[in-house]
Amino acid sequence: TIGTMCKELQIKLGRNVRSARQRAELSQTRLALMVGISRPVLIAIEQGDQNITLDTLDRLAKGLEVEAWELLQ
């Protein structure tokens, strides 16, 4: 179902954000400040529990110096 597909994408996004953040050697606090979100929201994103806007996806990608599509792969 669409709900299941959305949840799977959220989980994939979260794993990719966490992985890219760790590769960039950024703390959750630092990345959250860089992209203008709170640390609890970033934690929820990384855990696959937060639905995000395209704007937030773009800001995360820029902060992590990756392409937005890479975070969704």
Side-chain angles (χ1 to χ4, degrees), residues 56-70:
T56 301
L57 175 63
D58 183 58
R59 287 184 285 137
L60 281 167
K62 287 178 180 166
L64 294 166
E65 298 183 357
V66 298
E67 296 294 329
W69 62 265
E70 294 176 83

Side-chain angles (χ1 to χ4, degrees), residues 1-12 48 51:
T1 67
I2 291 185
T4 302
M5 289 174 23
C6 288
K7 184 61 179 175
E8 289 172 3
L9 189 56
Q10 279 178 230
I11 292 169
K12 189 178 294 191
N51 214 355

Side-chain angles (χ1 to χ4, degrees), residues 19-61:
S19 177
R21 178 181 58 76
Q22 291 171 339
R23 277 194 312 273
E25 298 182 355
L26 293 170
S27 68
Q28 289 173 328
T29 301
R30 180 72 185 128
L31 179 59
L33 285 170
M34 289 170 62
V35 301
I37 59 175
S38 69
R39 183 173 176 264
V41 168
L42 178 57
I43 290 169
I45 291 168
E46 288 188 353
Q47 292 175 341
D49 293 330
Q50 181 73 36
N51 214 355
I52 66 170
T53 64
L54 291 174
D55 179 62
T56 301
L57 175 63
D58 183 58
R59 287 184 285 137
L60 281 167

